[in-house]
Amino acid sequence: MVPVSVEIPLQERSYFIDIGSQLLDALGAHPALPKGTSALIVSNETVAPLYADRLLAALKHKYGIVHIVVLPDGEEHKNWQTLQKIFDVLLENGADRKTVLFALGGGVIGDMTGFAAASYMRGVPFVQVPTTLLAQVDSSVGGKTAINHPLGKNMIGAFYQPQLVVCDLDTLDTLPQRELAAGIGEIIKYGPIYDMEFFSWLETNMDALLRRDRAALAHAVKRSCEIKAWVVGQDEREAGLRAILNFGHTFGHAIEAGMGYGTWLHGEGVAAGMVMAGELSRRLGMVDAAFVERLRALIVRAGLPVRGPRIDEADNAGRYLQLMRVDKKSEAGEIRFVLIDGPGKAVVKPAPDALVREVIDACCA
Ligand code: NAD
Ligand code: GLY
């Protein structure tokens, strides 16, 4: 398979996303690798045994000294305590400003490594080597880095771009099926917000994606990255447009926080959240029932949830609203939703609480 590259166009902070097979072992010779005195691979206890030795061997060609830090696995560890372990290893090994960080793992590792790179000595270079579908189509691209707070998801972080992203599709072979489906959740979102032709392609190729057909995965990763590049290139710091990438996330983040981080996967929360946001759009007269049904049907085919969980027995909708007010898109306590204003076009708007309550009541188990 011939690798393809997608550029994130950000003037002096521009970089490429390489997508293909057999890229991991060749990474040490990549011409776009940052120069450096040493490297630190950040991974977790699941991914490190699978791929860290290979990345280490590849990087030894480029950086004489390469260390590894292995973090605990899981969204529930995306916090200060785990982040501190990265700084501990950097300082214990005398890492300087020319130390390059490599994120080897899914979105949790990518977000934490990026935040560590943004803040260690006020900024060191970093490279994303995403090993989940979700990270390859979304989280490794665009420079959002963060950790969670018990009161809200991704609340503490920074915008900080990697210098290179390398998506080796071969690493997806070891991904559990539930995680593959979660990644497809983030792929589906690109249809309603921007590209209904891609949505139709997903309808045709969903079975191929689920059986990990290499060509189908390559196209899905490439098209997702192209759309994200187009958005991030215009609005790196989410002054406006970039918020459309959060379709389904306002409800989804409430699900993740409300259930306890790690109970629902991020992509699962986004999936049910997209149905809720689609239904809210319908009740606001912006799309018809046929569109919401088409969205729901594709999410079902991906094996993802289309109904939100109950997160509070006494006042479920009230708890969703409470958690959603902490969303980063909220302004002065007013929740702003990514809504679909006709298939393929997203807008960010508030909605009346009473209507949101109706949607939550209708869309939760
Ligand atoms: P994850 O990082 O928790 O990875 C999912 C699971 O798969 C983990 O158990 C991991 O150890 C395992 N894994 C990873 N690669 C594997 C492989 N190749 N083989 C076997 N197992 C493997 O979850 P995720 O879905 O990748 O990312 C979700 C996170 O990404 C969330 O924290 C979310 O907030 C964040 N996110 C960030 C952005 C952004 O723009 N920065 C965008 C979307 C999501
Ligand atoms: N995943 C949303 C964003 O990158 O903006």
Side-chain angles (χ1 to χ4, degrees):
M1 167 178 286
V2 181
V4 294
S5 282
V6 176
E7 186 179 22
I8 303 289
L10 291 169
Q11 293 87 36
E12 73 284 356
R13 279 168 290 104
S14 300
Y15 56 94
F16 284 96
I17 307 154
D18 283 5
I19 302 156
S21 256
Q22 298 178 343
L23 302 183
L24 188 63
D25 301 308
L27 186 54
H30 200 295
L33 274 186
K35 291 191 176 57
T37 50
S38 64
L40 176 70
I41 298 169
V42 182
S43 193
N44 72 23
E45 57 205 11
T46 304
V47 179
L50 295 169
Y51 301 112
D53 282 352
R54 284 171 55 193
L55 182 58
L56 188 131
L59 295 181
K60 280 270 183 194
H61 293 296
K62 171 84 180 177
Y63 310 98
I65 307 165
V66 185
H67 295 288
I68 302 184
V69 56
V70 178
L71 304 177
D73 184 8
E75 185 73 37
E76 64 277 26
H77 297 292
K78 191 177 163 184
N79 57 27
W80 281 119
Q81 288 78 5
T82 314
L83 187 71
Q84 179 74 9
K85 291 182 201 296
I86 304 177
F87 298 130
D88 290 347
V89 174
L90 286 166
L91 287 162
E92 282 160 13
N93 289 290
D96 60 24
R97 280 193 162 144
K98 296 249 168 70
T99 298
V100 184
L101 266 54
F102 285 80
L104 177 68
V108 170
I109 287 295
D111 281 12
M112 279 196 297
T113 307
F115 190 31
S119 41
Y120 185 69
M121 293 197 175
R122 301 200 183 95
V124 293
F126 91 108
V127 173
Q128 290 268 17
V129 187
T131 62
T132 63
L133 184 58
L134 185 142
Q136 296 190 353
V137 300
D138 191 352
S139 65
S140 66
V141 174
K144 276 189 180 176
T145 77
I147 55 170
N148 298 328
H149 186 280
L151 295 179
K153 171 104 176 130
N154 292 335
M155 278 295 147
I156 298 142
F159 287 98
Y160 192 70
Q161 300 295 340
Q163 296 199 0
L164 175 67
V165 181
V166 176
C167 302
D168 189 332
L169 300 171
D170 300 343
T171 61
L172 302 180
D173 288 347
T174 52
L175 199 61
Q177 198 65 18
R178 185 179 168 199
E179 299 290 352
L180 186 88
I184 295 174
E186 288 280 24
I187 295 173
I188 290 173
K189 81 174 174 196
Y190 291 112
I193 64 168
Y194 182 75
D195 186 354
M196 286 304 286
E197 214 174 287
F198 183 44
F199 191 86
S200 301
W201 181 90
L202 289 170
E203 289 176 320
T204 307
N205 290 281
M206 183 55 72
D207 295 342
L209 284 176
L210 287 168
R211 64 169 186 273
R212 303 174 201 224
D213 175 274
R214 202 46 59 92
L217 283 172
H219 179 74
V221 174
K222 175 172 171 280
R223 187 66 195 132
S224 300
C225 289
E226 283 171 350
I227 296 170
K228 187 151 184 183
W230 181 83
V231 172
V232 172
Q234 295 174 75
D235 182 20
E236 181 185 8
R237 290 180 162 249
E238 202 165 306
L241 175 71
R242 186 168 176 166
I244 68 169
L245 296 174
N246 273 320
F247 176 50
H249 288 56
T250 315
F251 292 102
H253 284 170
I255 293 171
E256 281 186 84
M259 293 297 285
Y261 296 123
T263 310
W264 273 51
L265 301 181
H266 177 72
E268 294 171 341
V270 168
M274 285 192 289
V275 176
M276 291 163 129
E279 180 59 20
L280 184 56
S281 308
R282 185 188 73 77
R283 288 176 191 231
L284 287 164
M286 298 160 76
V287 286
D288 59 18
F291 167 78
V292 181
E293 190 40 46
R294 202 178 155 195
L295 175 61
R296 192 193 313 267
L298 188 60
I299 293 171
V300 168
R301 280 187 61 205
L304 288 162
V306 286
R307 294 182 75 74
R310 292 193 69 79
I311 57 175
D312 189 286
E313 280 315 316
D315 182 11
N316 186 50
R319 179 73 178 132
Y320 268 86
L321 282 163
Q322 185 188 34
L323 286 166
M324 290 195 295
R325 277 188 226 291
V326 189
D327 187 87
K328 289 188 288 307
K329 291 184 298 303
S330 293
E331 288 178 4
E334 183 178 64
I335 308 165
R336 295 164 72 248
F337 295 91
V338 181
L339 300 169
I340 303 305
D341 192 11
K345 182 166 177 255
V347 292
V348 183
K349 288 207 322 197
D353 273 8
L355 193 63
V356 177
R357 277 183 176 272
E358 281 176 28
V359 167
I360 294 166
D361 289 344
C363 293
C364 280

